[in-house]
Amino acid sequence: MQANERLTIAIQKKGRLGDGSLTLLQQCGLKLYPAKSSLFYSAENLPIDILLVRDDDIPTLLADKICDLGIVGENVLQEQASQYPLQFESIIKLGFGKCRLAIAGPNKFDYINLDSLNGKSIASSYPNLLKKFLSQNNIDASIVNISGSVEIAPQLKMADLICDLVSTGRTLSENNLKELFVLLQSQAVLVKTECALSTGKSETLAVLLRRIEGVLQAQESKYILFHAPKEALANIQRLLPGTEAPTIVPLSCNDKVAVHVVSREGVFWGTLENLRNAGASSILVLPIEKMML
Ligand code: PRT
Ligand code: ZN
């Protein structure tokens, strides 16, 4: 394989997406060399190189063809997308780094509907997304573009309201702010530009993508084992979310059977209690490490 056939993926070096991105790639079987302190590492067992960068730089690195793929928040991608002449393609949502871009204001702010934003000033590090939202909704509000600690802008009288990322909502409540309207739901995505990859790189991407899908499916799935009377089986199966045909094994000691089943949805305590009430016993719920369908 030629050096230029190696697929280069930019991920965040440090921060909220850094660990999630690296863990995902390692769960896909990438053996990365050298150790974590470097800005760049190479996978030993697949033609993939990883660049460790600031998340905001990933769209530029993709547009400039310094890397082929990136793992970045949809918020960053959509904020920056209009600055580039080419399109970005979000290949797969990765299920981590979940947050929302929301307009928030002081607890005492009298919010009725979007019209309440007219005439207000809004501080944000997402001026492009905010501007688009305001114009799509015919709201006449001014934007104060600031790069950090957006949540203190109302206290400092820099702006009436803010538009910032929220995940738990703790930062807002600590600053006596309340969430008013969500502009965008975001999570980490694997992204490329519209430019076609070489055949070798496309093949590597196809392998990686299959593995990522397998990791994500395994994360959502559980292996469930339990004993049940044969006559309760039909009833019990209706209680199991997202399952296909179970494996049923007779037990030698009594007229019960052992049931093995993969559930593709979360299994909650309520589900287990319902199973037990329907006659199931010795219920085990096990995590699944890898899955390929
Ligand atoms: O150095 P570098 O530029 O790489 O990092 P950064 O400081 O710009 O980014 P970082 O690590 O803070 O965030 C990277 C990405 O994580 C973001 O672009 C989002 O896609 C995602 N993400 C998920 C978040 C949050 N959740 C989040 N809660 N990014 C930021 N926040 C901040 C938010 O801005 C606010 O200050 O956390 C605070 C709110 O959190 P809660 O839990 O109190 O609501
Ligand atoms: Zn950043």
Side-chain angles (χ1 to χ4, degrees), residues 181-216:
F181 196 88
V182 175
L183 277 61
L184 173 80
Q185 294 286 352
S186 176
Q187 61 178 286
V189 286
L190 180 70
V191 65
K192 68 184 272 298
T193 68
E194 61 188 327
C195 303
L197 296 173
S198 66
T199 311
K201 287 183 181 184
S202 295
E203 284 167 5
T204 307
L205 172 58
V207 171
L208 181 67
L209 199 51
R210 257 198 318 273
R211 293 190 186 183
I212 290 177
E213 282 165 354
V215 170
L216 297 182

Side-chain angles (χ1 to χ4, degrees), residues 216-283:
L216 297 182
Q217 262 159 2
Q219 278 170 2
E220 285 164 11
S221 303
K222 295 280 179 269
Y223 196 79
I224 310 174
L225 299 124
F226 56 88
H227 293 172
K230 276 185 206 145
E231 64 277 9
L233 276 181
N235 200 11
I236 283 176
Q237 221 184 326
R238 275 195 288 276
L239 297 171
L240 284 165
T243 55
E244 286 172 5
T247 304
I248 297 171
V249 186
L251 291 177
S252 54
C253 51
N254 54 34
D255 60 356
K256 286 187 174 181
V257 288
V259 182
H260 297 212
V261 70
V262 173
S263 168
R264 302 260 174 78
E265 291 174 25
V267 180
F268 301 102
W269 281 109
T271 310
L272 302 192
E273 279 150 10
N274 292 340
L275 284 176
R276 203 182 52 179
N277 293 339
S281 57
S282 306
I283 308 169

